[in-house]
Amino acid sequence: MTKRVLVINDDPAEQNEVRSELESDCTEVICVESVQDALRTFLNREFALVILDANLSECDGYSLLEVMQTAKPTPILALSSRYRKVSEGTASPNNKFDIHSEMSYCLKDSLRLAQRAICSCSECETVKKCHYAFVCGKDLVINPDKHEVLLKGQPLELTKTEFDILFCLAKHPGQVLSREQIYDYVWNEDSAFNVDDVVKAHIKAIRKKLAGADTQYIQNVWGVGYRFQID
């Protein structure tokens, strides 16, 4: 089976060098230049390895590295081109399924490490059956297994009910949910007399905690309910 490698680097020369070294009949190399393209590609396809320019990861004010680590258990080789060595150094250690990061590197050594990581990944396919988080736009990560929400890489303090409402909306992006539907999903009981007020109060609290996001994730649809919008 063909293994895919995702290369996230805005330097075309380095992209070509990685592709020429790693691509083969058994390995497909996909290169992207921007954080937005990287996240979309990473979420939509399965990869045996990600090779990430760590400097590019930080360019939008949050760590793409942390978002990807939370979203999928995929080996990530994080490199910093800003401190790249001109001459070869010593061979890097082989960290099978952990993120490997160096402040400086020799690309040739790093590609040898990448080859070993690809082989290691094929030996442990069960790792891919771990949790999957919802990555919403560029700011928000919702991890149901850990009951955790990250906003721009920082933990967001939500009550259990607030988390359940946010998760309910995020699972149905673009779909309008009535207050009654949200109440039934979260409380899982017969509707209370003041359903509208209960749901509205919790939505208001969630929006206040999401105020630092660049996107208004929860939108009102007047007379109907709420819609979770990513873009």
Side-chain angles (χ1 to χ4, degrees), residues 141-149 156 158-169 185-186 202 206:
V141 178
I142 305 172
N143 190 326
D145 281 0
K146 295 182 179 179
H147 219 266
E148 177 184 66
V149 176
L156 199 66
L158 297 178
T159 67
K160 180 183 182 304
T161 301
E162 290 168 354
F163 178 91
D164 291 343
I165 291 173
L166 181 62
F167 183 48
C168 171
L169 291 167
Y185 177 90
V186 173
H202 282 88
I206 296 169

Side-chain angles (χ1 to χ4, degrees), residues 124-216:
C124 228
E125 292 296 324
T126 54
V127 173
K128 293 182 180 178
K129 300 185 183 298
C130 295
H131 69 271
Y132 184 88
F134 284 76
V135 180
C136 311
K138 297 193 304 178
D139 297 333
L140 191 65
V141 178
I142 305 172
N143 190 326
D145 281 0
K146 295 182 179 179
H147 219 266
E148 177 184 66
V149 176
L150 301 178
L151 181 62
K152 294 186 175 180
Q154 298 300 314
L156 199 66
E157 296 297 328
L158 297 178
T159 67
K160 180 183 182 304
T161 301
E162 290 168 354
F163 178 91
D164 291 343
I165 291 173
L166 181 62
F167 183 48
C168 171
L169 291 167
K171 286 204 312 183
H172 304 87
Q175 179 180 339
V176 180
L177 297 180
S178 68
R179 295 185 185 95
E180 289 77 11
Q181 286 175 308
I182 295 171
Y183 187 92
D184 290 343
Y185 177 90
V186 173
W187 279 267
N188 194 26
E189 60 186 33
D190 293 337
S191 296
F193 177 73
N194 59 342
V195 166
D196 284 358
D197 290 341
V198 169
V199 174
K200 274 200 255 185
H202 282 88
I203 292 288
K204 182 178 180 180
I206 296 169
R207 280 177 166 163
K208 185 175 181 179
K209 294 178 180 181
L210 290 174
D214 296 330
T215 300
Q216 184 179 344

Side-chain angles (χ1 to χ4, degrees), residues 49 75-76 93-99 113 116-117 120-121 123:
L49 176 68
I76 301 174
N94 180 14
N95 296 338
K96 283 189 176 181
F97 302 109
D98 296 328
I99 291 176
L113 175 62
R116 294 198 297 271
S120 297
C121 182
E123 296 168 0

Side-chain angles (χ1 to χ4, degrees), residues 7-15 32-34 53 55-56 81:
V7 178
I8 307 169
N9 192 311
D10 59 1
D11 185 334
E14 289 198 1
Q15 287 184 8
V32 296
E33 296 183 4
S34 71
D53 181 345
N55 298 317
L56 181 64
S81 58

Side-chain angles (χ1 to χ4, degrees), residues 57-58 63-71 99 150 153-154:
S57 169
E58 301 289 347
S63 176
L64 175 63
L65 179 66
E66 293 176 4
V67 172
M68 290 193 302
Q69 183 185 22
T70 302
I99 291 176
L150 301 178
Q154 298 300 314

